[in-house]
Amino acid sequence: MLNPNRIENINYSNWTKKEWALIILYTLVSFQFYSYAGFNNTVIKLLLFLIVPIMFAICWKTFISKNANKLFRIMRGIIIITILSIFSAYLFWNQSIVLGYRAIAAGLTLIFYFYLYKRRPSIQSIETYIFVFGILYCVLWLYAMSKFPEPVFGFNEDGEVKEDLSRGMIRINFIGRISLIFAYFLSLNRAYTQKKKIYFVFATAFFIFIIMQVTRQLIIWSALVTIIYIFQKNRKLLIGGIVIFAFLFFFCKTIKFSQDSVIGTMITMTEEQMESSQHGDEDIRVTEYKYFFTEWSRNIITDVIGNGMPHGNSAYGKYYTQLQEQQKLFLSDVGYGQIFVITGWIGLFLYIVLFIKCCLIRMPEELMYTKMFMIFLLFANIAASWYAKADCQIAMCISIYLISVYAIPNVKKNHIQIS
């Protein structure tokens, strides 16, 4: 039985039709309408720049209210330090306030958490939303695949629409992949708690689509969290499953996969990268972490509060573009490095504490998918900046909101556990 923890006299109800319209519009604008090639990109971005302050105004009283919930305060701290980073970029990199806001606007999608906290929607509404956008991504991906090589979605810097033979198949990626993973965790959780075949079917279908994204990080961390969840109550099986998974994926060369297959080509790429590291070539992400943590910031102040996000039209943005072109160093490759660059030690501390707290908190069995997602996010941001994408931020808001409200008291903090 799910009972809100430490919350009194609050009614949890389904979203009304008007609220559904608002939430769907907010999501689509945040996703920039999946960067559909038929839409004007300038208009889409303008809508994004407008909807963030509108949502902020809706949630303002909740945002500034006194609240004893630690996760609530951390989320508020992240929003504040992100906004402060706009002024840091202005003061120390001479990037205008307008360009600073435009560069970071997508990162303020986290304000959605405060809307959820203000509205207190039912779990039924939230889970329906998760399924809708998980299924929608699958439908749009299939449509984009049917139109290949004509680009349909992902028509911006976050998208990738090309035939990538190095990965064994056509690679079509656009925003919404994290919605897919979130729906997968929800389906898997329901399959084991409700014992209904339909949810096993959904979980299997969603995982197949995850594989079809041909993104090793998403496959690896989704699979690892799955192993943890399935074997969580048997420590020996859990440890054994993780060891076998790691051995098969990274080290086993006696098991051969067809070079024409998705799995075969990704394993070959992994082996080539490992061999390169063994021959003395430093992994590019190690180089990126070293640079962004030791050479990017201009002074102790930007180390502490961050430098802000560079915009391509500013001198700050041109400096970053030059770094990308000449040294092949990308903020998007290192999630925690990007957090440090934008929001400094304060922001990095807040994000790490947020992730770890969400991994440690005990949750009811029916809501384990929230912790599964946060554990996935803790690891996935090591070698990519998923946290900064709108689809990931909305999934974060939902997970952290449900954890804030339904966490079971008396947390055991000596180890991470799913339940």
Side-chain angles (χ1 to χ4, degrees):
M1 185 70 178
L2 294 173
N3 293 311
N5 179 33
R6 297 186 301 275
I7 296 179
E8 299 177 357
N9 301 322
I10 295 177
N11 294 321
Y12 293 79
S13 59
N14 295 332
W15 280 321
T16 65
K17 291 181 179 180
K18 289 184 178 179
E19 287 174 324
W20 270 111
L22 172 65
I23 297 307
I24 290 174
L25 177 63
Y26 181 76
T27 303
L28 292 178
V29 172
S30 298
F31 288 9
Q32 297 179 56
F33 292 91
Y34 296 94
S35 296
Y36 176 57
F39 291 163
N40 186 301
N41 197 44
T42 302
V43 174
I44 292 174
K45 286 186 177 295
L46 178 61
L47 290 173
L48 173 64
F49 301 149
L50 291 174
I51 203 166
V52 171
I54 290 173
M55 181 59 78
F56 212 117
I58 293 173
C59 306
W60 175 248
K61 289 185 179 180
T62 302
F63 181 82
I64 64 174
S65 64
K66 293 183 179 180
N67 196 301
N69 187 285
K70 293 181 179 179
L71 297 181
F72 182 98
R73 296 203 302 269
I74 292 173
M75 289 291 284
R76 181 164 56 193
I78 289 173
I79 294 292
I80 292 172
I81 194 65
T82 302
I83 293 173
L84 287 177
S85 73
I86 298 173
F87 298 94
S88 180
Y90 170 71
L91 292 173
F92 299 104
W93 292 92
N94 200 31
Q95 177 171 272
S96 72
I97 300 297
V98 172
L99 290 180
Y101 170 69
R102 288 170 58 184
I104 204 66
L108 292 172
T109 306
L110 286 177
I111 197 68
F112 184 60
Y113 169 83
F114 298 95
Y115 171 80
L116 294 173
Y117 217 95
K118 169 186 173 69
R119 172 56 180 80
R120 308 288 190 181
S122 67
I123 292 175
Q124 180 183 356
S125 288
I126 289 175
E127 293 184 348
T128 299
Y129 170 91
I130 296 170
F131 274 122
V132 165
F133 279 93
I135 293 171
L136 179 59
Y137 182 84
C138 296
V139 172
L140 296 180
W141 189 89
L142 288 172
Y143 177 70
M145 179 68 76
S146 71
K147 290 291 185 178
F148 183 84
E150 175 188 349
V152 181
F153 303 106
F155 209 68
N156 63 13
E157 66 275 10
D158 293 329
E160 186 171 6
V161 184
K162 65 181 180 180
E163 184 176 5
D164 190 346
L165 297 180
S166 68
R167 295 176 184 258
M169 67 170 294
I170 296 170
R171 179 178 170 87
I172 296 178
N173 291 152
F174 49 91
I175 194 166
R177 286 176 286 176
I178 303 301
S179 302
L180 171 65
I181 291 174
F182 200 27
Y184 164 68
F185 288 145
L186 171 56
S187 300
L188 185 67
N189 187 196
R190 278 198 176 184
Y192 277 88
T193 56
Q194 298 188 16
K195 308 297 183 182
K196 293 182 179 180
K197 293 182 180 179
I198 185 63
Y199 293 121
F200 283 102
V201 172
F202 271 119
T204 302
F206 283 137
F207 193 76
I208 290 173
F209 273 95
I210 292 172
I211 294 174
M212 298 296 282
Q213 304 310 299
V214 205
T215 304
R216 284 174 293 169
Q217 294 179 45
L218 298 184
I219 298 171
I220 290 170
W221 300 125
S222 297
L224 180 61
V225 173
T226 300
I227 290 172
I228 294 173
Y229 176 68
I230 293 175
F231 298 118
Q232 60 178 307
K233 295 181 180 179
N234 189 316
R235 184 169 295 183
K236 292 182 179 178
L237 288 177
L238 174 59
I239 295 173
I242 293 174
V243 170
I244 292 173
F245 169 79
F247 179 77
L248 288 176
F249 198 91
F250 293 105
F251 303 108
C252 189
K253 297 183 179 181
T254 59
I255 299 177
K256 300 295 182 182
F257 292 88
S258 170
Q259 293 300 306
D260 295 328
S261 69
V262 176
I263 296 177
T265 51
M266 286 195 291
I267 290 177
T268 299
M269 289 175 65
T270 302
E271 290 176 348
E272 289 174 352
Q273 291 175 359
M274 292 174 63
E275 289 175 1
S276 176
S277 298
Q278 291 172 357
H279 284 88
D281 297 332
E282 185 176 70
D283 185 88
I284 185 61
R285 283 181 170 82
V286 173
T287 304
E288 287 168 330
Y289 266 110
K290 286 181 179 179
Y291 184 89
F292 293 132
F293 270 96
T294 61
E295 299 185 45
W296 182 283
S297 294
R298 289 193 162 182
N299 51 55
I300 187 63
I301 298 176
T302 53
D303 274 339
V304 175
I305 66 172
N307 301 266
M309 186 69 179
H311 189 282
N313 291 339
S314 68
Y316 182 30
K318 291 175 181 176
Y319 162 73
Y320 177 48
T321 299
Q322 186 178 33
L323 185 69
Q324 292 174 304
E325 294 175 348
Q326 295 182 359
Q327 300 188 44
K328 307 301 179 184
L329 302 179
F330 298 86
L331 285 169
S332 58
D333 283 349
V334 283
Y336 295 109
Q338 178 169 307
I339 292 172
F340 172 73
V341 164
I342 297 173
T343 57
W345 288 114
I346 293 177
L348 183 62
F349 173 78
L350 290 173
Y351 269 104
I352 291 177
V353 171
L354 176 70
F355 293 156
I356 292 177
K357 276 187 172 294
C358 289
C359 291
L360 291 173
I361 289 174
R362 293 175 61 232
M363 291 293 291
E365 288 289 339
E366 295 88 346
L367 297 178
M368 264 341 97
Y369 61 89
T370 59
K371 285 191 60 175
M372 293 166 70
F373 180 76
M374 296 306 295
I375 293 172
F376 162 83
L377 201 55
L378 176 67
F379 292 111
N381 278 304
I382 295 172
S385 56
W386 300 109
Y387 85 95
K389 311 297 183 185
D391 54 346
C392 185
Q393 293 209 346
I394 285 182
M396 278 178 60
C397 290
I398 292 172
S399 294
I400 297 166
Y401 161 71
L402 291 174
I403 292 173
S404 299
V405 175
Y406 293 99
I408 299 174
N410 301 321
V411 181
K412 294 182 179 180
K413 298 186 178 181
N414 59 328
H415 64 282
I416 295 178
Q417 57 182 13
I418 294 288
S419 60

